[in-house]
Amino acid sequence: PLSSIDTGESQSGFHKCWTLLLVLLIGVPLLFVLWGWISPDSTLSRRNAQIVQAFRARMKKLENTYQSQDPRLWKRTHTLLEKHLNASHLHLEPAILLFTAGQEAEKALRCLSNEIAEAFAFSQNATTIKIDGEHKAILDSDIVKLEVDNELS
């Protein structure tokens, strides 16, 4: 009679252990998911703040270097690129700004646009590419599109 009671109790204990293990296997990952969903990720927000701060510092240097530029240029550039930096999702496509200037300002514009691109890329520890449209103007548009797509990818 003792062995049948022991077996019943051991089977009951065995079922309790498996039930507890199953609850832990489901409950712990669920808690991590819920915790990540409920509480904002402070590490991510700190990183985003550092990225924006690095971008602002580089842009401030550029504003001081290119003081003759229209303040609207700086405001629009800041607004557009900071919005891109502050977005909550990852960007898989490039950030593209298109600048234009008269022929007499071509060199200054080329230098300024390169430096703005570098400031943006530096803040994200990324790289830039430069596409010279002037040299592509004589090529077939399908070839140019393919070349640009290849450079961007």
Side-chain angles (χ1 to χ4, degrees), residues 20-104:
L20 179 62
L21 182 62
L22 185 62
V23 167
L24 286 174
L25 287 174
I26 294 172
V28 171
L30 185 61
L31 284 174
F32 277 113
V33 169
L34 289 175
W35 178 258
W37 182 68
I38 293 171
S39 69
D41 187 1
S42 63
T43 305
L44 185 60
S45 62
R46 266 187 301 207
R47 183 181 177 281
N48 285 347
Q50 289 171 342
I51 287 171
V52 171
Q53 197 62 29
F55 173 71
R56 285 180 180 164
R58 293 284 295 253
M59 288 298 290
K60 191 67 179 165
K61 287 181 184 178
L62 288 177
E63 284 183 57
N64 291 333
T65 303
Y66 295 90
Q67 293 177 1
S68 64
Q69 295 301 313
D70 189 330
R72 291 177 293 182
L73 167 77
W74 301 115
K75 183 175 172 50
R76 288 178 182 160
T77 302
H78 275 276
T79 302
L80 178 72
L81 293 178
E82 284 188 27
K83 190 181 293 185
H84 195 77
L85 291 172
N86 285 324
S88 61
H89 63 283
L90 293 174
H91 298 284
L92 299 177
E93 60 281 333
I96 299 172
L97 292 176
L98 181 63
F99 295 102
T100 61
Q103 285 183 332
E104 67 281 352

Side-chain angles (χ1 to χ4, degrees), residues 83-144:
K83 190 181 293 185
H84 195 77
L85 291 172
N86 285 324
S88 61
H89 63 283
L90 293 174
H91 298 284
L92 299 177
E93 60 281 333
I96 299 172
L97 292 176
L98 181 63
F99 295 102
T100 61
Q103 285 183 332
E104 67 281 352
E106 182 183 338
K107 286 184 181 180
L109 178 67
R110 187 181 312 260
C111 187
L112 176 61
S113 62
N114 286 338
E115 290 191 49
I116 290 172
E118 291 293 335
F120 183 75
F122 174 80
S123 68
Q124 298 184 80
N125 203 17
T127 59
T128 63
I129 62 168
K130 293 156 187 72
I131 300 172
D132 184 1
E134 182 180 357
H135 292 98
K136 295 187 184 302
I138 59 171
L139 300 175
D140 178 68
S141 62
D142 290 334
I143 293 171
V144 172

